[in-house]
Amino acid sequence: MITTGELVRARRAVSVVFAACGAAFGTWLARVPAVQDRLGLTTGQRAAGLFGLAAGSVVALLLAGAVITRIGSRAAAVVGAVVLCGGLPLVAVAPGAAAFVAALVVLGVGNSTLDVAMNAHAARVEEGYGRPIFAGFHAFWNIGGLAGSGADALAEAWHVPVAVHFPVAGGVLLVVAPAAVLGGFLRGPDRGQGGPAFAWPGRALVPLGAVRSAGSSPRGR
């Protein structure tokens, strides 16, 4: 039985993790030009890096459900936070275009893993409250993004290089996010944890999938 105190602590902890995730992504996003200048990247190389970020995100999204089913949202959130926050210094110290792309793959994997895990745990907390509170968690993601972008603006104004800024930001968030997870997330298994990691969609989704596929099919001129 989950107590009211545990739910309150979990709500605060999930809010902190949402904010940390937003801050980490905002930190990277607002200083893309500075990273490009530091590495002397061409537009094509920067695009390749963004593709790596998207690819890492998509792969992690596909696998995150199975991971959470296996280890639970609490443990998955710690893994995602460590990978995401560790990705920031990798971007900062990348010696060239190839390492830059690889670092952004790591960043994408961490971001999506943490994103799915913290949302899954937020749903568990909302269920315990018995009323809609999900919007508040997403508000904290935006607050974190604003904080990360604001710190970026100060770093730019004070001419702090990304080789210093990203490791410091990543280190701070690497302490904050896992501490919030381990100190406040609900213990015990999530609903469905330990069950099958994959299931075929139900019949109700078949017509929707057919309509979606037809709508996305290329049309002739």
Side-chain angles (χ1 to χ4, degrees):
M1 182 67 178
I2 301 173
T3 67
T4 301
E6 289 173 331
L7 281 174
V8 171
R9 285 194 299 273
R11 183 177 183 178
R12 291 172 181 168
V14 173
S15 298
V16 169
V17 173
F18 266 80
C21 184
F25 200 76
T27 295
W28 142 250
L29 197 60
R31 299 211 72 181
V32 171
V35 174
Q36 183 176 4
D37 290 343
R38 176 188 170 274
L39 295 177
L41 300 174
T42 65
T43 302
Q45 289 170 330
R46 183 185 65 183
L50 296 178
F51 176 82
L53 177 67
S57 297
V58 170
V59 170
L61 283 173
L62 293 173
L63 298 177
V67 171
I68 292 173
T69 300
R70 181 85 177 183
I71 66 175
S73 59
R74 188 171 184 265
V78 172
V79 173
V82 169
V83 176
L84 173 61
C85 298
L88 284 175
L90 292 180
V91 174
V93 302
F100 170 69
V101 174
L104 285 185
V105 170
V106 173
L107 200 69
V109 169
N111 183 67
S112 286
T113 302
L114 179 57
D115 186 23
V116 175
M118 68 188 187
N119 274 280
H121 206 83
R124 183 179 171 187
V125 174
E126 184 181 61
E127 183 180 15
Y129 266 80
R131 57 186 172 85
I133 60 172
F134 223 103
F137 295 131
H138 287 281
F140 273 94
W141 191 96
N142 290 313
I143 291 170
L146 287 172
S149 298
D152 288 353
L154 291 176
E156 287 281 1
W158 295 339
H159 305 291
V160 178
V162 292
V164 174
H165 177 200
F166 279 17
V168 170
V172 171
L173 295 173
L174 187 57
V175 172
V176 172
V181 173
L182 297 175
F185 273 34
L186 298 173
R187 297 181 180 275
D190 296 310
R191 180 182 294 183
Q193 185 177 341
F198 176 81
W200 290 105
R203 291 182 180 179
L205 293 179
V206 174
L208 180 62
V211 171
R212 175 66 183 87
S213 297
S216 61
S217 298
R219 299 180 180 180
R221 292 182 181 273

